[in-house]
Amino acid sequence: MHFLMRLNEAHFPSSHDVEFFTTVDLALRASYGRRNPGDARTWAVIGKERPRLDGGHPAKLIGVVGVPGAGKSQLIFAARSIYPSQIVTHESFPNINGPFAQLAHLSINIPASGKLVDLARTLMLSSDRAMGTERFTEVLGRTRPDASALFDEWLQFAESRFLGILHLDEVQNLFKFETLKKRSKKSDGDRPKLRIADDTALKRILTLSNTSDFVLVLSGSPDGMAALQTRLSTAGRFVVGGWHELHVFDDPNDKRFRGTFLKPLLRYQYVRDKLVESDDLAITIIELTAGVPRFIIALWIAAHRVAFARHASSDLQVDDLQIDDLKVAASLYLTPITPAIQALRSRDPALMRRYEDLLPDDTMFWSGFWTRISTGEPPKPQAT
């Protein structure tokens, strides 16, 4: 059971990983090509003593989109983890006396408020945590900080530490969408209306994509990324920099599903008599999870728990995993996300418009799910 619980951190590499890492690495190396620390002009730009170097900026705005649970964060984490370290300590560095700590990459979730002041605070806290410093302790203690000044202070720090990649996740937090009730009443062709949570935050992110020398990776749900392109006219920048869309597995015969996900998943069976790959198994998994990777992992763990309980209550010496265990697990543990699964499988525009609201937040449903699975506590009844 202890090994099984580690599966909630599983990431099965695929061709998407290679494609995304290539996109990031090309943009990263191009961005560092413009920032030679041995050139005094580079430090003059960082110190705001002169404008940025002449010439066009390399492509450095990258987008990753997919429904919650499709694996966006894991894909980006895997790409970042290929680099040796988040903090690179140089024993000597041009124009610096003594060792120099470089911040190679940083990843944060855009705060739920979508406000610039909270974004700046989060960037500062994450930077201090990564660097092991208290560089921003004093400024974070201010009761009424100026949001723009706060963001500018962090930005100058990031540039002076030669930040390579900045990943901003949960882009949808920059927007406030119509209520579920209003969205459900719209016709199939109507685009949901949205409100910008904080126009200043959006403008500063756009400015970063235009003027900063580090690579900016933005990721989020389809609604959020579509809204970002509409409001900021970023579609062209994504096309040049890189656009990666993660699709769910909607076909049980898809080679990508059978070969790069189901096959390695089958290795993680903690029973004597294991399930083998079959059409029936593939079809069952897709039907119960809509092919969302996170849901599949959750179902797999829950099915083991069901199997363990079945073994304990049987008079026979059984130690196996059955397809029926998956079905029982779905009925016990995945009921809160059943409407979302049905919407995703239906491809009905009216239902699909609702699915973002039907996928529970990680801090809500999923934290409770893992607790129930690990302790064996039965699921609580769900309101309809």
Side-chain angles (χ1 to χ4, degrees):
M1 191 64 191
H2 291 287
F3 286 108
L4 183 66
M5 292 304 297
R6 294 296 303 276
L7 267 181
N8 70 77
E9 304 170 11
H11 174 69
F12 301 128
S14 69
S15 58
H16 284 308
D17 294 68
V18 179
E19 294 165 1
F20 177 71
F21 177 75
T22 301
T23 296
V24 170
D25 198 58
L26 289 171
L28 178 64
R29 294 175 188 276
S31 76
Y32 275 133
R34 294 176 51 83
R35 293 182 282 169
N36 179 6
D39 189 334
R41 293 176 298 174
T42 299
W43 293 99
V45 170
I46 292 174
K48 312 300 181 187
E49 298 172 6
R50 59 163 290 162
R52 294 189 176 277
L53 304 181
D54 296 332
H57 282 271
K60 57 190 183 313
L61 180 60
I62 300 170
V64 181
V65 62
V67 301
K72 301 182 296 296
S73 298
Q74 288 181 321
L75 172 71
I76 296 168
F77 176 81
R80 290 170 52 225
S81 67
I82 292 176
Y83 297 106
S85 176
Q86 183 178 18
I87 306 300
V88 181
T89 302
H90 303 268
E91 294 303 321
S92 62
F93 199 80
N95 295 303
I96 294 289
N97 291 324
F100 176 78
Q102 176 187 356
L103 180 59
H105 50 78
L106 187 68
S107 177
I108 68 162
N109 289 344
I110 294 176
S113 69
K115 294 184 177 180
L116 181 63
V117 65
D118 294 325
L119 176 63
R121 286 179 175 275
T122 303
L123 288 166
M124 287 179 168
L125 286 169
S126 297
S127 298
D128 265 349
R129 188 178 302 115
M131 300 285 292
T133 62
E134 297 181 352
R135 163 73 171 73
F136 297 107
T137 300
E138 182 179 348
V139 66
L140 288 171
R142 298 172 188 167
T143 54
R144 295 181 177 229
D146 177 82
S148 292
L150 209 63
F151 189 83
D152 286 338
E153 184 168 345
W154 173 82
L155 181 58
Q156 185 161 12
F157 161 82
E159 291 176 339
S160 68
R161 290 293 172 173
F162 287 83
L163 176 65
I165 304 166
L166 174 63
H167 169 219
L168 301 180
D169 201 2
E170 307 295 349
V171 161
Q172 62 272 15
N173 287 342
L174 292 169
F175 305 93
K176 295 185 181 297
F177 294 91
E178 288 183 329
T179 64
L180 176 59
K181 183 177 180 180
K182 290 183 178 180
R183 293 175 71 184
S184 301
K185 292 180 178 180
K186 289 185 175 294
S187 62
D188 293 351
D190 292 338
R191 178 182 292 275
K193 293 182 179 179
L194 56 85
R195 292 184 295 110
I196 299 174
D198 182 0
D199 189 58
T200 308
L202 273 175
K203 288 179 178 178
R204 294 311 300 266
I205 291 175
L206 176 59
T207 300
L208 280 183
S209 71
N210 285 332
T211 63
S212 67
D213 282 320
F214 50 75
V215 178
L216 181 60
V217 179
L218 303 178
S219 61
S221 67
D223 274 4
M225 295 298 284
L228 183 71
Q229 292 185 64
T230 301
R231 293 294 176 174
L232 296 184
S233 300
T234 52
R237 295 182 181 87
F238 282 129
V239 169
V240 175
W243 179 261
H244 296 264
E245 187 168 354
L246 302 187
H247 299 281
V248 299
F249 302 117
D250 55 4
D251 182 359
N253 295 314
D254 183 359
K255 292 181 179 179
R256 186 170 60 94
F257 168 61
R258 300 285 283 260
T260 65
F261 197 94
L262 181 57
K263 186 175 181 179
L265 180 63
L266 286 170
R267 295 202 299 263
Y268 296 93
Q269 297 185 62
Y270 297 91
V271 293
R272 183 188 61 214
D273 302 320
K274 298 174 172 57
L275 278 171
V276 296
E277 183 179 351
S278 67
D279 291 342
D280 191 18
L281 175 62
I283 291 170
T284 299
I285 289 176
I286 297 300
E287 287 181 346
L288 296 177
T289 64
V292 178
R294 190 192 302 170
F295 295 173
I296 297 175
I297 295 296
L299 177 66
W300 196 251
I301 293 175
H304 273 80
R305 186 72 193 191
V306 169
F308 296 160
R310 177 169 54 79
H311 302 162
S313 62
S314 175
D315 295 331
L316 303 175
Q317 294 298 317
V318 293
D319 186 14
D320 62 355
L321 184 64
Q322 301 178 4
I323 291 180
D324 282 346
D325 294 328
L326 298 171
K327 297 176 181 177
V328 173
S331 67
L332 287 176
Y333 293 102
L334 299 190
T335 51
I337 57 175
T338 298
I341 291 172
Q342 293 173 345
L344 289 169
R345 283 185 52 77
S346 72
R347 302 296 184 217
D348 184 318
L351 292 176
M352 288 290 288
R353 189 173 294 115
R354 298 163 56 97
Y355 75 82
E356 291 287 356
D357 302 273
L358 292 171
L359 295 176
D361 188 278
D362 282 341
T363 58
M364 298 168 59
F365 169 68
W366 288 110
S367 60
F369 172 83
W370 298 120
T371 300
R372 293 195 305 273
I373 289 296
S374 61
T375 62
E377 176 188 343
K380 297 179 180 180
Q382 298 296 318
T384 57

